[in-house]
Short mmCIF file of all heavy atoms in Angstrom, two decimals:
data_model
loop_
_atom_site.label_atom_id
_atom_site.label_comp_id
_atom_site.label_asym_id
_atom_site.label_seq_id
_atom_site.Cartn_x
_atom_site.Cartn_y
_atom_site.Cartn_z
N ASP A 1189 18.05 1.40 -10.26
CA ASP A 1189 18.08 0.46 -9.20
C ASP A 1189 18.80 1.09 -7.96
O ASP A 1189 19.95 1.33 -7.97
CB ASP A 1189 18.83 -0.79 -9.62
CG ASP A 1189 18.69 -1.97 -8.64
OD1 ASP A 1189 17.94 -1.86 -7.70
OD2 ASP A 1189 19.17 -3.11 -8.96
N VAL A 1190 17.97 1.40 -6.95
CA VAL A 1190 18.44 2.01 -5.68
C VAL A 1190 19.37 1.01 -4.93
O VAL A 1190 20.42 1.39 -4.41
CB VAL A 1190 17.31 2.47 -4.86
CG1 VAL A 1190 17.81 2.96 -3.40
CG2 VAL A 1190 16.54 3.50 -5.46
N ASN A 1191 18.97 -0.25 -4.92
CA ASN A 1191 19.80 -1.23 -4.26
C ASN A 1191 21.14 -1.41 -4.84
O ASN A 1191 22.14 -1.58 -4.06
CB ASN A 1191 19.02 -2.56 -4.33
CG ASN A 1191 19.55 -3.58 -3.37
OD1 ASN A 1191 20.43 -3.34 -2.61
ND2 ASN A 1191 18.98 -4.78 -3.46
N LEU A 1192 21.26 -1.34 -6.10
CA LEU A 1192 22.63 -1.42 -6.72
C LEU A 1192 23.51 -0.24 -6.47
O LEU A 1192 24.68 -0.33 -6.24
CB LEU A 1192 22.42 -1.52 -8.29
CG LEU A 1192 23.62 -2.03 -9.11
CD1 LEU A 1192 23.96 -3.39 -8.68
CD2 LEU A 1192 23.13 -2.08 -10.55
N LEU A 1193 22.89 1.02 -6.36
CA LEU A 1193 23.68 2.14 -6.11
C LEU A 1193 24.00 2.38 -4.70
O LEU A 1193 25.11 2.60 -4.23
CB LEU A 1193 22.87 3.42 -6.62
CG LEU A 1193 23.52 4.74 -6.52
CD1 LEU A 1193 24.77 4.90 -7.29
CD2 LEU A 1193 22.51 5.82 -6.89
N CYS A 1194 23.09 2.22 -3.73
CA CYS A 1194 23.22 2.49 -2.27
C CYS A 1194 23.59 1.31 -1.46
O CYS A 1194 23.89 1.47 -0.32
CB CYS A 1194 21.94 3.17 -1.77
SG CYS A 1194 21.54 4.63 -2.51
N LYS A 1195 23.51 0.13 -2.10
CA LYS A 1195 23.81 -1.15 -1.39
C LYS A 1195 22.80 -1.41 -0.21
O LYS A 1195 23.00 -2.09 0.71
CB LYS A 1195 25.19 -1.20 -0.78
CG LYS A 1195 26.31 -0.94 -1.67
CD LYS A 1195 26.50 -1.95 -2.71
CE LYS A 1195 27.74 -1.78 -3.56
NZ LYS A 1195 27.44 -1.24 -4.88
N LYS A 1196 21.62 -0.69 -0.36
CA LYS A 1196 20.43 -0.86 0.58
C LYS A 1196 19.19 -0.82 -0.23
O LYS A 1196 19.13 -0.10 -1.24
CB LYS A 1196 20.48 0.23 1.68
CG LYS A 1196 21.59 0.21 2.58
CD LYS A 1196 21.43 1.36 3.61
CE LYS A 1196 22.43 2.44 3.31
NZ LYS A 1196 22.28 3.50 4.22
N LYS A 1197 18.19 -1.43 0.25
CA LYS A 1197 16.87 -1.33 -0.40
C LYS A 1197 16.23 -0.02 0.02
O LYS A 1197 16.60 0.58 0.97
CB LYS A 1197 15.97 -2.45 0.04
CG LYS A 1197 16.42 -3.82 -0.58
CD LYS A 1197 15.39 -4.81 -0.24
CE LYS A 1197 15.73 -6.18 -0.87
NZ LYS A 1197 14.78 -7.23 -0.62
N LEU A 1198 15.30 0.39 -0.83
CA LEU A 1198 14.56 1.68 -0.62
C LEU A 1198 13.88 1.67 0.76
O LEU A 1198 13.88 2.62 1.45
CB LEU A 1198 13.60 1.91 -1.81
CG LEU A 1198 13.14 3.33 -1.93
CD1 LEU A 1198 12.99 3.53 -3.51
CD2 LEU A 1198 11.90 3.67 -1.24
N SER A 1199 13.22 0.50 1.05
CA SER A 1199 12.53 0.43 2.36
C SER A 1199 13.51 0.45 3.57
O SER A 1199 13.14 1.02 4.58
CB SER A 1199 11.71 -0.93 2.42
OG SER A 1199 12.53 -2.03 2.21
N GLN A 1200 14.70 -0.06 3.41
CA GLN A 1200 15.71 0.03 4.43
C GLN A 1200 16.13 1.52 4.66
O GLN A 1200 16.28 1.98 5.83
CB GLN A 1200 16.93 -0.79 4.14
CG GLN A 1200 16.75 -2.25 4.17
CD GLN A 1200 17.93 -3.06 3.68
OE1 GLN A 1200 18.67 -2.62 2.84
NE2 GLN A 1200 18.08 -4.21 4.24
N ILE A 1201 16.24 2.25 3.59
CA ILE A 1201 16.64 3.59 3.69
C ILE A 1201 15.50 4.41 4.46
O ILE A 1201 15.77 5.24 5.29
CB ILE A 1201 16.93 4.26 2.30
CG1 ILE A 1201 18.16 3.59 1.69
CG2 ILE A 1201 17.09 5.75 2.39
CD1 ILE A 1201 18.46 3.98 0.25
N LEU A 1202 14.23 4.10 4.09
CA LEU A 1202 13.11 4.77 4.72
C LEU A 1202 13.12 4.43 6.25
O LEU A 1202 12.72 5.33 7.04
CB LEU A 1202 11.73 4.43 4.06
CG LEU A 1202 11.65 5.02 2.62
CD1 LEU A 1202 10.35 4.50 2.04
CD2 LEU A 1202 11.58 6.53 2.75
N LYS A 1203 13.36 3.14 6.56
CA LYS A 1203 13.44 2.83 7.94
C LYS A 1203 14.44 3.51 8.75
O LYS A 1203 14.24 3.97 9.92
CB LYS A 1203 13.59 1.27 8.13
CG LYS A 1203 12.39 0.48 7.96
CD LYS A 1203 12.64 -0.98 8.18
CE LYS A 1203 11.47 -1.85 7.75
NZ LYS A 1203 11.78 -3.22 7.81
N GLU A 1204 15.66 3.65 8.16
CA GLU A 1204 16.74 4.37 8.79
C GLU A 1204 16.42 5.79 9.08
O GLU A 1204 16.81 6.39 10.11
CB GLU A 1204 18.02 4.28 7.94
CG GLU A 1204 18.63 2.94 7.94
CD GLU A 1204 19.84 2.89 7.00
OE1 GLU A 1204 20.14 3.88 6.33
OE2 GLU A 1204 20.41 1.77 6.85
N LYS A 1205 15.66 6.37 8.23
CA LYS A 1205 15.33 7.87 8.30
C LYS A 1205 14.01 8.04 9.09
O LYS A 1205 13.45 9.12 9.24
CB LYS A 1205 15.19 8.48 6.98
CG LYS A 1205 16.34 8.28 6.05
CD LYS A 1205 17.16 9.52 5.95
CE LYS A 1205 18.30 9.24 5.03
NZ LYS A 1205 19.29 10.17 5.04
N ASN A 1206 13.40 6.92 9.60
CA ASN A 1206 12.16 6.88 10.36
C ASN A 1206 11.03 7.43 9.51
O ASN A 1206 10.16 8.14 10.02
CB ASN A 1206 12.29 7.66 11.67
CG ASN A 1206 13.20 6.93 12.65
OD1 ASN A 1206 13.29 5.67 12.60
ND2 ASN A 1206 13.90 7.74 13.42
N LEU A 1207 11.06 7.18 8.20
CA LEU A 1207 9.99 7.66 7.33
C LEU A 1207 9.16 6.47 6.73
O LEU A 1207 8.30 6.69 5.88
CB LEU A 1207 10.59 8.41 6.20
CG LEU A 1207 11.30 9.72 6.52
CD1 LEU A 1207 12.08 10.26 5.40
CD2 LEU A 1207 10.32 10.76 7.00
N ALA A 1208 9.37 5.25 7.21
CA ALA A 1208 8.70 4.04 6.72
C ALA A 1208 7.27 4.07 7.19
O ALA A 1208 7.04 4.40 8.32
CB ALA A 1208 9.37 2.81 7.13
N PRO A 1209 6.28 3.74 6.31
CA PRO A 1209 4.92 3.61 6.78
C PRO A 1209 4.70 2.45 7.72
O PRO A 1209 5.51 1.54 7.70
CB PRO A 1209 4.10 3.47 5.51
CG PRO A 1209 5.14 2.87 4.51
CD PRO A 1209 6.48 3.41 4.92
N GLU A 1210 3.60 2.52 8.47
CA GLU A 1210 3.35 1.44 9.45
C GLU A 1210 2.88 0.21 8.73
O GLU A 1210 3.12 -0.87 9.20
CB GLU A 1210 2.34 1.91 10.49
CG GLU A 1210 1.01 2.30 9.84
CD GLU A 1210 0.00 2.85 10.82
OE1 GLU A 1210 0.48 3.75 11.57
OE2 GLU A 1210 -1.15 2.42 10.88
N LEU A 1211 2.30 0.34 7.57
CA LEU A 1211 1.81 -0.84 6.82
C LEU A 1211 2.54 -0.83 5.41
O LEU A 1211 2.76 0.20 4.80
CB LEU A 1211 0.28 -0.79 6.47
CG LEU A 1211 -0.63 -0.95 7.73
CD1 LEU A 1211 -2.02 -0.82 7.31
CD2 LEU A 1211 -0.37 -2.23 8.39
N PRO A 1212 2.86 -1.95 4.95
CA PRO A 1212 3.56 -2.07 3.61
C PRO A 1212 2.66 -1.55 2.50
O PRO A 1212 1.39 -1.55 2.63
CB PRO A 1212 3.87 -3.55 3.44
CG PRO A 1212 3.85 -4.14 4.76
CD PRO A 1212 2.90 -3.29 5.63
N ASP A 1213 3.23 -1.02 1.43
CA ASP A 1213 2.55 -0.41 0.33
C ASP A 1213 1.53 -1.34 -0.36
O ASP A 1213 0.39 -0.89 -0.62
CB ASP A 1213 3.52 0.07 -0.78
CG ASP A 1213 4.22 1.32 -0.30
OD1 ASP A 1213 3.75 1.93 0.60
OD2 ASP A 1213 5.25 1.57 -0.91
N ASP A 1214 1.87 -2.52 -0.59
CA ASP A 1214 0.92 -3.48 -1.29
C ASP A 1214 -0.28 -3.77 -0.44
O ASP A 1214 -1.40 -3.89 -0.97
CB ASP A 1214 1.62 -4.74 -1.79
CG ASP A 1214 2.43 -5.43 -0.64
OD1 ASP A 1214 2.49 -4.89 0.40
OD2 ASP A 1214 3.03 -6.50 -0.90
N LEU A 1215 -0.07 -3.90 0.82
CA LEU A 1215 -1.22 -4.09 1.74
C LEU A 1215 -2.09 -2.91 1.81
O LEU A 1215 -3.35 -3.03 1.79
CB LEU A 1215 -0.71 -4.51 3.15
CG LEU A 1215 -1.70 -4.90 4.17
CD1 LEU A 1215 -2.52 -6.06 3.73
CD2 LEU A 1215 -1.06 -5.17 5.54
N MET A 1216 -1.51 -1.73 1.88
CA MET A 1216 -2.33 -0.51 1.85
C MET A 1216 -3.12 -0.32 0.56
O MET A 1216 -4.22 0.10 0.58
CB MET A 1216 -1.42 0.77 1.98
CG MET A 1216 -1.01 1.09 3.40
SD MET A 1216 -2.41 1.47 4.42
CE MET A 1216 -3.07 2.79 3.72
N ALA A 1217 -2.53 -0.69 -0.59
CA ALA A 1217 -3.21 -0.60 -1.84
C ALA A 1217 -4.48 -1.55 -1.86
O ALA A 1217 -5.56 -1.18 -2.30
CB ALA A 1217 -2.29 -0.99 -3.01
N LEU A 1218 -4.30 -2.75 -1.34
CA LEU A 1218 -5.37 -3.68 -1.24
C LEU A 1218 -6.41 -3.20 -0.31
O LEU A 1218 -7.73 -3.38 -0.57
CB LEU A 1218 -4.88 -5.10 -0.77
CG LEU A 1218 -4.13 -5.86 -1.86
CD1 LEU A 1218 -3.61 -7.15 -1.23
CD2 LEU A 1218 -5.10 -6.20 -2.99
N ILE A 1219 -6.09 -2.59 0.86
CA ILE A 1219 -7.04 -2.04 1.81
C ILE A 1219 -7.88 -0.88 1.10
O ILE A 1219 -9.11 -0.80 1.26
CB ILE A 1219 -6.38 -1.63 3.06
CG1 ILE A 1219 -5.87 -2.84 3.84
CG2 ILE A 1219 -7.32 -0.79 3.95
CD1 ILE A 1219 -5.05 -2.47 5.08
N ARG A 1220 -7.15 0.01 0.37
CA ARG A 1220 -7.84 1.04 -0.23
C ARG A 1220 -8.85 0.55 -1.26
O ARG A 1220 -9.98 1.07 -1.43
CB ARG A 1220 -6.85 1.95 -0.99
CG ARG A 1220 -6.14 2.88 -0.03
CD ARG A 1220 -5.42 3.91 -0.86
NE ARG A 1220 -4.42 4.55 0.05
CZ ARG A 1220 -3.17 4.39 0.07
NH1 ARG A 1220 -2.55 3.60 -0.83
NH2 ARG A 1220 -2.35 4.96 0.91
N LYS A 1221 -8.37 -0.57 -2.00
CA LYS A 1221 -9.27 -1.14 -3.04
C LYS A 1221 -10.53 -1.71 -2.38
O LYS A 1221 -11.62 -1.55 -2.88
CB LYS A 1221 -8.54 -2.21 -3.78
CG LYS A 1221 -9.26 -2.89 -4.92
CD LYS A 1221 -8.34 -3.84 -5.61
CE LYS A 1221 -9.08 -4.44 -6.79
NZ LYS A 1221 -8.21 -5.34 -7.60
N SER A 1222 -10.39 -2.43 -1.22
CA SER A 1222 -11.54 -3.00 -0.59
C SER A 1222 -12.48 -1.94 -0.09
O SER A 1222 -13.72 -2.10 -0.10
CB SER A 1222 -11.14 -3.93 0.52
OG SER A 1222 -10.61 -3.21 1.62
N VAL A 1223 -11.94 -0.87 0.42
CA VAL A 1223 -12.78 0.28 0.91
C VAL A 1223 -13.56 0.85 -0.32
O VAL A 1223 -14.79 1.13 -0.19
CB VAL A 1223 -11.95 1.39 1.52
CG1 VAL A 1223 -12.74 2.68 1.75
CG2 VAL A 1223 -11.35 0.93 2.80
N GLU A 1224 -12.87 1.06 -1.52
CA GLU A 1224 -13.61 1.58 -2.60
C GLU A 1224 -14.71 0.62 -3.07
O GLU A 1224 -15.85 1.00 -3.43
CB GLU A 1224 -12.59 1.81 -3.74
CG GLU A 1224 -11.71 2.91 -3.54
CD GLU A 1224 -12.40 4.27 -3.36
OE1 GLU A 1224 -13.38 4.53 -4.13
OE2 GLU A 1224 -12.07 5.05 -2.45
N ILE A 1225 -14.43 -0.81 -3.07
CA ILE A 1225 -15.45 -1.71 -3.50
C ILE A 1225 -16.60 -1.65 -2.58
O ILE A 1225 -17.75 -1.72 -2.96
CB ILE A 1225 -14.83 -3.08 -3.66
CG1 ILE A 1225 -13.74 -3.06 -4.76
CG2 ILE A 1225 -15.85 -4.13 -3.98
CD1 ILE A 1225 -13.03 -4.40 -4.87
N ARG A 1226 -16.28 -1.67 -1.27
CA ARG A 1226 -17.39 -1.58 -0.24
C ARG A 1226 -18.31 -0.37 -0.41
O ARG A 1226 -19.53 -0.42 -0.27
CB ARG A 1226 -16.83 -1.63 1.14
CG ARG A 1226 -16.47 -2.98 1.52
CD ARG A 1226 -16.17 -3.16 3.06
NE ARG A 1226 -15.76 -4.51 3.32
CZ ARG A 1226 -16.64 -5.53 3.52
NH1 ARG A 1226 -17.87 -5.29 3.36
NH2 ARG A 1226 -16.17 -6.68 3.84
N LYS A 1227 -17.65 0.78 -0.66
CA LYS A 1227 -18.41 2.03 -0.93
C LYS A 1227 -19.24 1.81 -2.16
O LYS A 1227 -20.46 2.38 -2.17
CB LYS A 1227 -17.39 3.17 -1.07
CG LYS A 1227 -17.98 4.58 -0.82
CD LYS A 1227 -16.94 5.66 -1.05
CE LYS A 1227 -15.76 5.50 -0.11
NZ LYS A 1227 -14.75 6.58 -0.31
N HIS A 1228 -18.80 1.23 -3.18
CA HIS A 1228 -19.59 0.97 -4.34
C HIS A 1228 -20.72 0.05 -4.07
O HIS A 1228 -21.82 0.30 -4.62
CB HIS A 1228 -18.68 0.40 -5.50
CG HIS A 1228 -19.39 -0.18 -6.62
ND1 HIS A 1228 -19.90 0.67 -7.63
CD2 HIS A 1228 -19.74 -1.41 -6.99
CE1 HIS A 1228 -20.47 -0.08 -8.58
NE2 HIS A 1228 -20.37 -1.33 -8.23
N LEU A 1229 -20.50 -0.98 -3.27
CA LEU A 1229 -21.50 -1.92 -2.97
C LEU A 1229 -22.57 -1.35 -2.07
O LEU A 1229 -23.75 -1.90 -2.01
CB LEU A 1229 -20.97 -3.18 -2.30
CG LEU A 1229 -20.33 -4.19 -3.24
CD1 LEU A 1229 -19.61 -5.25 -2.49
CD2 LEU A 1229 -21.35 -4.80 -4.13
N GLU A 1230 -22.37 -0.24 -1.37
CA GLU A 1230 -23.44 0.38 -0.56
C GLU A 1230 -24.45 0.89 -1.51
O GLU A 1230 -25.65 0.86 -1.14
CB GLU A 1230 -22.79 1.50 0.25
CG GLU A 1230 -22.07 0.97 1.44
CD GLU A 1230 -21.38 2.11 2.22
OE1 GLU A 1230 -21.60 3.33 1.92
OE2 GLU A 1230 -20.61 1.87 3.11
N THR A 1231 -24.11 1.46 -2.56
CA THR A 1231 -25.13 2.02 -3.53
C THR A 1231 -25.63 1.02 -4.61
O THR A 1231 -26.72 1.16 -5.06
CB THR A 1231 -24.54 3.24 -4.31
OG1 THR A 1231 -23.44 2.86 -4.95
CG2 THR A 1231 -24.27 4.36 -3.32
N ASN A 1232 -24.74 0.04 -4.96
CA ASN A 1232 -25.10 -0.95 -5.92
C ASN A 1232 -25.03 -2.36 -5.35
O ASN A 1232 -24.08 -3.10 -5.57
CB ASN A 1232 -24.10 -0.86 -7.15
CG ASN A 1232 -24.03 0.56 -7.62
OD1 ASN A 1232 -25.00 1.09 -8.09
ND2 ASN A 1232 -22.83 1.08 -7.53
N ASP A 1233 -26.03 -2.75 -4.54
CA ASP A 1233 -25.99 -3.91 -3.84
C ASP A 1233 -26.26 -5.14 -4.66
O ASP A 1233 -25.99 -6.26 -4.21
CB ASP A 1233 -27.02 -3.89 -2.66
CG ASP A 1233 -28.41 -3.63 -3.18
OD1 ASP A 1233 -28.61 -3.03 -4.18
OD2 ASP A 1233 -29.35 -4.05 -2.39
N LYS A 1234 -26.73 -5.01 -5.93
CA LYS A 1234 -26.96 -6.21 -6.75
C LYS A 1234 -25.68 -6.45 -7.73
O LYS A 1234 -25.84 -7.36 -8.57
CB LYS A 1234 -28.17 -6.03 -7.57
CG LYS A 1234 -29.37 -5.92 -6.77
CD LYS A 1234 -30.61 -6.28 -7.53
CE LYS A 1234 -31.91 -6.03 -6.80
NZ LYS A 1234 -32.03 -6.91 -5.73
N ASP A 1235 -24.67 -5.77 -7.54
CA ASP A 1235 -23.46 -5.92 -8.40
C ASP A 1235 -22.71 -7.15 -7.94
O ASP A 1235 -21.94 -7.18 -7.03
CB ASP A 1235 -22.59 -4.68 -8.35
CG ASP A 1235 -21.46 -4.61 -9.29
OD1 ASP A 1235 -21.36 -5.69 -10.10
OD2 ASP A 1235 -20.79 -3.66 -9.53
N GLU A 1236 -23.00 -8.27 -8.67
CA GLU A 1236 -22.31 -9.61 -8.30
C GLU A 1236 -20.80 -9.53 -8.65
O GLU A 1236 -20.07 -10.18 -7.88
CB GLU A 1236 -22.98 -10.72 -9.10
CG GLU A 1236 -24.40 -10.90 -8.76
CD GLU A 1236 -24.66 -11.31 -7.37
OE1 GLU A 1236 -23.80 -12.11 -6.78
OE2 GLU A 1236 -25.67 -10.81 -6.78
#
């Protein structure tokens, strides 16, 4: 647990060091998933 040790969350540490991504991780994962599904649907348009 980083929060317990450093008294800060991991995302706060990344923000302080200017290394935080512009989009949150869970949102990026969903965007990647939608891109992959759209790519799949281009070749398999009948996949309900």
Side-chain angles (χ1 to χ4, degrees):
D1189 196 358
V1190 174
N1191 194 2
L1192 196 60
L1193 180 65
C1194 297
K1195 309 290 188 255
K1196 293 183 250 179
K1197 290 186 178 181
L1198 201 144
S1199 58
Q1200 289 174 328
I1201 295 171
L1202 289 175
K1203 276 184 193 171
E1204 288 174 1
K1205 309 257 182 193
N1206 294 326
L1207 296 170
E1210 59 187 48
L1211 294 177
D1213 286 341
D1214 50 357
L1215 185 61
M1216 277 301 297
L1218 285 173
I1219 290 173
R1220 284 191 195 106
K1221 185 176 181 179
S1222 74
V1223 167
E1224 290 298 317
I1225 295 173
R1226 283 192 181 279
K1227 205 181 297 181
H1228 169 76
L1229 279 173
E1230 286 175 6
T1231 57
N1232 307 298
D1233 57 335
K1234 296 201 186 296
D1235 190 354
E1236 296 296 323

